[in-house]
Amino acid sequence: MSLLRLENVMASYGASQALFGVDLEISEGEVLALLGRNGMGKSTTVKCICRMLQAEGRIEFDGHDLTRLPSHRAARLGLGLVPEGRRCFGTLTVYENLIAAARSGSWTFERVIDLFPRLGERRDQHAYSLSGGEQQMLAIGRALMTNPKLLILDEATEGLAPIIRQEIWAVIRRLKAETGLSILVIDKSLSELKGVCDRATILERGKSVWFGTLDELNDDVAASYIGV
């Protein structure tokens, strides 16, 4: 059953159009990769889904039309965003960050700590004092504490040390294997994405140009649209 569906989504920043027709679909329990070179519209698509940017076209989530909803109402329907750049609340402690937007459900502080033991060790530290990797763990934990139906990871491993990237990927694999949570992943590591994603959508200049599984993503397609 479809959880999220975008049809011919278009969006602009003032007079500058950024999206020219994005189509994607995520089913319940599915992990979808959103791929494309830098500047092709991936983060803009996320902003449209989360209602941080006005869009034309159709955006449906869990049976609801999102196109006219404000961001806080869309979030309450079950969108959990891990934004690019983490954006933790620096002057709040780890614990305070995690409970700030918590909603009732299976994801609790204790469960997040089981997923990220390091956050338990840093419980009373302010977020600004954490390493980049720890802040990324905190951002993921904070999104999970909203008990989302869809977790959106926007460049969750960008700029992190290799060992921390591997920890994040291990968590994503664990979430898929143990929870059945639907996940939208934006990342550049095709090798890691192949181990966790069911399907992928590629954007080129603000438009969806390719759909399929990661196994179907051949070298010619990757070279044309991803640059690898």
Side-chain angles (χ1 to χ4, degrees), residues 109-178:
F109 175 76
E110 290 74 21
R111 191 176 180 193
V112 168
I113 295 310
D114 177 67
L115 192 66
F116 293 114
R118 201 173 310 184
L119 295 182
E121 299 169 4
R122 308 286 192 270
R123 173 187 171 128
D124 297 320
Q125 281 188 227
H126 290 101
Y128 71 77
S129 69
L130 303 178
S131 69
E134 290 165 348
Q135 288 184 13
Q136 189 63 73
M137 295 174 190
L138 182 57
I140 295 173
R142 181 181 58 188
L144 290 172
M145 287 285 285
T146 69
N147 279 280
K149 296 176 182 176
L150 173 66
L151 181 66
I152 302 173
L153 299 165
D154 191 356
E155 301 284 7
T157 67
E158 183 75 12
L160 301 180
I163 189 169
I164 301 299
R165 288 203 299 269
Q166 290 306 310
E167 287 187 44
I168 300 298
W169 283 114
V171 163
I172 297 172
R173 290 191 292 270
R174 182 176 170 186
L175 288 173
K176 179 179 181 178
E178 297 180 5

